[in-house]
Amino acid sequence: MGDSFVSADIDKIASFERQSEEAIAEYDLIREKFEKTNTTLLGKWKGGGADAYKLETDHILENVGSIKDILEEINNSVVKDIKENYLALDEALGEFNRDPQASE
């Protein structure tokens, strides 16, 4: 086998986790601004049109849900499992790289 060195790299997984945190923060800011704009608008707009608008925006917000919940579910299930498997693989490869003849 010579000078071969086998490794597992989880940089992409760590990057996804960081980007998830950034996306959550950005989404929360957008949602906060949207809700503030709606509150201001509906504070001045009265009548049937305003009621219909409020029902529609409430429905949209309810269906959109929270990106935070979605990304946390992905990170706490799929990404966590992948990361744990990569770390186990990294440990096994570390043992192999310390003594490649032991596996033969």
Side-chain angles (χ1 to χ4, degrees):
M1 213 148 168
D3 293 336
S4 296
F5 182 79
V6 182
S7 67
D9 185 1
I10 61 170
D11 285 345
K12 292 291 184 188
I13 294 169
S15 176
F16 179 83
E17 289 173 319
R18 282 190 305 277
Q19 289 174 350
S20 293
E21 292 172 10
E22 293 168 6
I24 289 167
E26 184 175 350
Y27 173 79
D28 287 345
L29 182 60
I30 291 168
R31 186 173 180 131
E32 182 182 313
K33 286 181 180 181
F34 181 77
E35 289 172 352
K36 184 177 180 181
T37 300
N38 278 344
T39 299
T40 301
L41 175 64
L42 292 170
K44 297 176 183 182
W45 184 15
K46 303 296 178 201
D51 294 341
Y53 173 82
K54 182 172 181 353
L55 283 173
E56 188 63 27
T57 57
D58 288 350
H59 179 70
I60 289 168
L61 288 174
E62 182 180 309
N63 285 326
V64 168
S66 169
I67 287 181
K68 179 179 181 181
D69 294 340
I70 295 165
L71 289 174
E72 282 182 349
E73 179 64 29
I74 291 169
N75 282 326
N76 291 330
S77 60
V78 178
V79 172
K80 181 180 177 185
D81 290 345
I82 291 170
K83 195 173 180 181
E84 287 173 358
N85 285 316
Y86 259 78
L87 292 173
L89 173 63
D90 186 52
E91 181 65 31
L93 290 174
E95 289 177 24
F96 171 81
N97 287 328
R98 284 187 285 279
D99 189 9
Q101 283 76 29
S103 68
E104 293 177 4

